[in-house]
Amino acid sequence: MSFAEGQTGSSANRLEKELLRAIVALELKPGTRLSEQEIASRYGVSRQPVREALIALSQQRFVEILPQRGTIVVKISVQKMMEARFLREAIESAVVRRACDSFIVTSRQIIDNCLEAQQRAVDKGDHAAFQRFDERFHMALAEGAGCPMAWTLVANLKAHMDRACHLSLQSPNAMAALVAQHQAIVAAIDGRDPEAAEAAMRHHLNELLRALPEIEHLHPDLFE
């Protein structure tokens, strides 16, 4: 893979996104030491866009740049996760309440498609596909409710939860439970019941809290 084409700024931005994807997917595990030269060689760029990408990731608190010691992927912070979940819950609870007033028909069809795709991912045990369609589901909720900017905010927040979410999907039946929760959210929206929609969304977003003690127990080396 090469990001060499184009200007330095765009190369740095694409590299930032790719490194973030690898961090969230735990391809770059917490505690991994990152080498500017190795990354530059792998992606076919100079060290300048690598440096810019790492600085951006450090500002987002996914890596830590240590003087004279290099750059390290930070461990999963439960505190940051809880803060991100709190803010995400506030936003998405408001989204589903608004969705109960009116909802864009095309977005409603996208949601059905996402649910079908997620069920296929469950049947195949495909965690990566499941997570892709999970994101598309929540994006479609925001778009359908007429507030796509809400998803932009959520997308930035959820990255701090996604590493633990990735681990939680390894638990038996975890994906099937999430699909059922999505279906409950949609049923409440279709029924124009804002109280039920909000309750279903809050229950859904608290799933990670319920799974967290076991995740930490199984993967203590990945957490602060």
Side-chain angles (χ1 to χ4, degrees), residues 10 75 110 120 125 182:
S10 61
K75 293 194 173 186
I110 289 172
R120 290 195 297 271
H182 283 173

Side-chain angles (χ1 to χ4, degrees), residues 151-168:
W151 171 251
T152 302
L153 294 172
V154 167
N156 290 331
L157 290 168
K158 71 186 289 295
H160 284 287
M161 303 167 61
D162 282 346
R163 289 190 290 178
C165 288
H166 181 83
L167 293 170
S168 73

Side-chain angles (χ1 to χ4, degrees), residues 98-127:
R98 179 167 174 171
C100 290
D101 292 331
S102 64
F103 204 77
I104 298 171
V105 174
T106 52
S107 294
R108 183 63 185 80
Q109 183 57 55
I110 289 172
I111 283 175
D112 280 342
N113 295 340
C114 287
L115 291 174
E116 291 172 6
Q118 282 195 304
Q119 187 57 57
R120 290 195 297 271
V122 171
D123 296 339
K124 295 178 181 178
D126 188 341
H127 298 164

